[in-house]
Amino acid sequence: DVKVTQSSRYLVKRTGEKVFLECVQDMDHENMFWYRQDPGLGLRLIYFSYDVKMKEKGDIPEGYSVSREKKERFSLILESASTNQTSMYLCASNLQGSVRETQYFGPGTRLLVL
Amino acid sequence: AQSVTQPDIHITVSEGASLELRCNYSYGATPYLFWYVQSPGQGLQLLLKYFSGDTLVQGIKGFEAEFKRSQSSFNLRKPSVHWSDAAEYFCAGAYGGATNKLIFGTGTLLAVQP
C-alpha cells in the first residue's frame, strides 16, 4: 500500500512565525504535491515537485515556498505565517508521467494561525 | 478557463437509497476525470477515473460514474448507500499530456440518514 504521511495532524502557530509542514512518501514516487483545502473552495495546488530539487508553482504559491532535498520528502514552508493561511494542507504523490497516474494523499495537517 | 463544478454543496440521503452526485467540467478537449472521497479526518482516496473508452466506469466501494460528453458531466452514482459512505466527495479533472495538475471541484458533503 502506498503511504503518504504528514508530520502533524494539527498545528497552532502565531502570526509571523516560520512554519514547516513535512510530507514523506514510501513508494519512490517522483512527483509530490502540496494543496490547501478550504470550505467552498475545494483543493487548490500550491506547489509541486517532479524531482529532487525541482519545483513548480501551482495556482496559489504566494506566501509559500517548498523544499525537496530527498526524493521521499517534500516540505512546505510558510516564511511568515498569516491568519489567512489558516487551512487544511494536504500532501500527495504519484509516479512520474501524465496525470493518469493516481495521486495518493496524506491525511492532512490542519493549521491554525493566531 | 478550465473548471470543474459540483453544483451540490450538501446532500442528505437515507441509508439504502440510491445516490447521484453531480459533476460538470468545462474543457475544449475531453479531460481526464476523477472522483475522490474524503472520510472525516482522512486524506483523499481515489474512487474511480475516466480517460477514454467505455463511458461507464466502475470504481471501488460499489461506486460508478458515467461520462456524458453532450452534457459535459461525470456524475457519480451508487445504487444503495451505506452509513459508511458519509463523507465529502470531490470531482477532479485535467488535460492529458505531461501535466500533472488536477483541477478540483468544491466538493459535495454527503450525509446518510438511518
Side-chain angles (χ1 to χ4, degrees):
Chain A
D1 260 6
V2 176
K3 190 139 187 178
V4 179
T5 56
Q6 296 183 229
S7 52
S8 306
R9 294 299 298 270
Y10 300 95
L11 213 49
V12 180
K13 295 292 181 181
R14 298 218 172 265
T15 302
E17 279 192 76
K18 190 168 186 175
V19 181
F20 292 87
L21 303 183
E22 304 286 338
C23 175
V24 177
Q25 50 92 5
D26 67 357
M27 283 302 291
D28 205 34
H29 285 168
E30 292 85 2
N31 299 322
M32 297 188 75
F33 306 82
W34 276 106
Y35 294 90
R36 67 177 278 176
Q37 180 182 5
D38 299 289
L41 296 177
L43 277 74
R44 293 176 293 166
L45 181 65
I46 305 171
Y47 267 98
F48 73 96
S49 169
Y50 48 91
D51 201 350
V52 173
K53 298 191 187 293
M54 305 305 288
K55 62 185 179 185
E56 193 167 316
K57 292 180 179 178
D59 299 316
I60 52 163
E62 296 79 19
Y64 303 95
S65 62
V66 291
S67 172
R68 190 151 179 217
E69 297 296 319
K70 292 185 177 181
K71 190 175 185 180
E72 67 272 17
R73 188 180 298 270
F74 191 36
S75 302
L76 180 69
I77 304 157
L78 286 65
E79 295 289 343
S80 177
S82 64
T83 55
N84 63 13
Q85 292 179 309
T86 290
S87 186
M88 168 75 96
Y89 290 88
L90 292 167
C91 176
S93 72
N94 71 351
L95 287 169
Q96 192 169 53
S98 79
V99 73
R100 288 172 175 249
E101 299 293 341
T102 300
Q103 288 189 23
Y104 295 90
F105 284 80
T109 296
R110 193 169 291 279
L111 172 66
L112 173 63
V113 182
L114 300 174
Chain B
Q2 305 161 21
S3 67
V4 173
T5 304
Q6 293 180 250
D8 304 305
I9 297 171
H10 188 274
I11 283 181
T12 300
V13 299
S14 298
E15 193 167 14
S18 64
L19 171 70
E20 183 167 22
L21 301 181
R22 296 184 292 165
C23 173
N24 295 99
Y25 65 89
S26 65
Y27 291 104
T30 300
Y32 296 155
L33 294 163
F34 306 78
W35 274 101
Y36 280 85
V37 61
Q38 185 179 34
S39 299
Q42 304 294 317
L44 275 68
Q45 180 184 22
L46 181 70
L47 286 175
L48 48 78
K49 55 189 175 183
Y50 171 77
F51 298 145
S52 64
D54 194 346
T55 55
L56 187 62
V57 181
Q58 300 298 321
I60 62 171
K61 303 179 187 249
F63 286 92
E64 66 179 26
E66 186 170 12
F67 173 70
K68 291 186 177 180
R69 184 190 305 275
S70 61
Q71 298 176 20
S72 298
S73 69
F74 187 58
N75 294 349
L76 183 71
R77 301 193 297 242
K78 187 169 185 178
S80 178
V81 169
H82 188 261
W83 63 266
S84 61
D85 293 323
E88 190 157 23
Y89 292 81
F90 291 94
C91 183
Y95 278 115
T99 180
N100 264 285
K101 293 186 180 182
L102 286 177
I103 297 170
F104 283 86
T106 51
T108 297
L109 187 61
L110 174 66
V112 179
Q113 283 181 336

